[in-house]
Amino acid sequence: MAEFTIALRVAEAAGGTVDTVVALRGVRKSFNVGTPIETEVLRGIDLTLRKGEFCAVMGPSGSGKSTLLNIVGLLDRPTAGRLAVCGEETTALDERALTRLRGHNIGFVFQYHHLLTAFTALENVMMPMLGAAGFPNDAMRQRAAGLIDSVGLAPWRDNLAGNMSGGQQQRVAVARALAMNPALLLADEPTGNLDTKSADGVFELLRRFNREHGTSVLFVAHNAALAARCDKTIKVVDGELTG
Ligand code: ADP
Ligand code: MG
C-alpha cells in the first residue's frame, strides 16, 4: 500500500502541479478463475492519466480494452495489481465506497447509448444527479438543460430519448455522462455505431468538454483518424500495453 502511495506521489511530482486522475500498477484481470476455462485478459498494465489528458485506447477486438475501462471505471475489480482513481487507492474499498467514488468522479459513454427510452432527453441527463441527491430539484433541471444545450439539442430537450436519431441519442448520453462534472470520462467506442459525421460531432463534444473543464478522457477509438486527434494513444495487444 505504502509503496503504491509513493508511486502516485512520484507520478504527481513528475507532472508538477498536475494531479494524477488514474494510476494503474501491475493490473491483471482473469475471468473464470479456478475453472478449466480461466483466461488472463489483462497481463500487468501500468498506466497514468493526468488531469486534462485526452488519451486514445487502440487495439484489436478482444485485446482487453473494454475490460481495462471497466476496471478503471470501478465496474469490475482487478485480479491483481493496484488502481487509484482521483488520488484514492481503490484496492481496499468496499462496494459502497466504490459506488460513491464512481458516482462523483466518473462519467461513462458506451458504444450503445443505454438511455431510458421512455424518458425525455432532459430526464435522462438528470438521472445521475437524481442518483446522488435522491429527489429532483430546479438546480438539477437547469444544469441538465444547460448540458442539453451544450450538446446542441436544445430543441429536442423534451423529446423522448427513444424517438431520437442515433447521433442525437449519443449526444444525450455524453450530456448525461457529464452531469456530475466528472474528473474522468470513460468512453468505450462511443462513435462505433455512428456515421462519420455524427462520430465526428460526438468526438468534438468530448474534446470540447476536455478542454473547457479539464476532464480527463480515456477514449476507445474505433479508428486511427480519431486517435490521432487525441493527446496520446495507448495500444492494448493481448492484454498488454505496447508502444
Ligand atoms: P475489447 O474491448 O478489446 O474488444 P474485451 O475487454 O471486451 O476486449 O475482451 C477481452 C477478452 O476477455 C475477450 O477474449 C473476451 O471474450 C474476454 N472477456 C471479457 N469479459 C469477459 C467475462 N465477463 N467473462 C469471460 N471472458 C470475458
Ligand atoms: Mg470492447
Side-chain angles (χ1 to χ4, degrees), residues 130-210:
L130 274 174
F135 55 89
N137 61 39
D138 281 347
M140 267 183 215
R141 227 169 251 115
Q142 269 170 33
R143 174 158 175 82
L147 283 162
I148 296 267
D149 287 359
S150 69
V151 299
L153 292 176
W156 290 274
R157 190 185 298 168
D158 298 316
N159 278 37
L160 294 184
N163 293 342
M164 304 176 92
S165 74
Q168 288 176 330
Q169 288 171 330
Q170 202 58 312
R171 282 170 175 268
V172 176
V174 169
R176 179 186 55 184
L178 298 164
M180 298 294 289
N181 195 23
L184 173 64
L185 185 69
L186 299 173
D188 194 351
E189 302 198 57
T191 57
N193 282 339
L194 303 179
D195 60 86
T196 311
K197 189 158 168 276
S198 302
D200 204 69
V202 167
F203 179 82
E204 278 309 319
L205 273 183
L206 300 178
R207 208 41 172 138
R208 180 157 60 79
F209 278 103
N210 156 256

Side-chain angles (χ1 to χ4, degrees), residues 77-115:
R77 284 181 185 268
T79 315
R82 295 206 169 128
L83 165 68
V85 174
C86 296
E88 197 159 344
E89 155 83 62
T90 64
T91 320
L93 297 181
D94 61 17
E95 284 305 320
R96 201 182 154 145
L98 290 175
T99 300
R100 191 173 179 285
L101 186 61
R102 188 192 310 121
H104 285 88
N105 296 290
I106 309 178
F108 295 88
V109 191
F110 300 97
Q111 184 164 359
Y112 180 71
H113 56 74
H114 296 293
L115 297 175

Side-chain angles (χ1 to χ4, degrees), residues 5-19:
T5 309
I6 292 164
L8 266 182
R9 299 253 161 79
V10 170
E12 276 169 17
T17 55
V18 181
D19 300 319

Side-chain angles (χ1 to χ4, degrees), residues 21-22 49 55 57 66 68-75 85 102 105-111 177-178 182-190 206 215-220:
V21 173
V22 176
L49 189 70
C55 177
V57 182
S66 293
L68 176 63
L69 259 71
N70 288 343
I71 284 176
V72 171
L74 311 175
L75 296 171
V85 174
R102 188 192 310 121
N105 296 290
I106 309 178
F108 295 88
V109 191
F110 300 97
Q111 184 164 359
L178 298 164
L184 173 64
L185 185 69
L186 299 173
D188 194 351
E189 302 198 57
L206 300 178
T215 318
S216 303
V217 183
L218 264 185
F219 168 73
V220 181

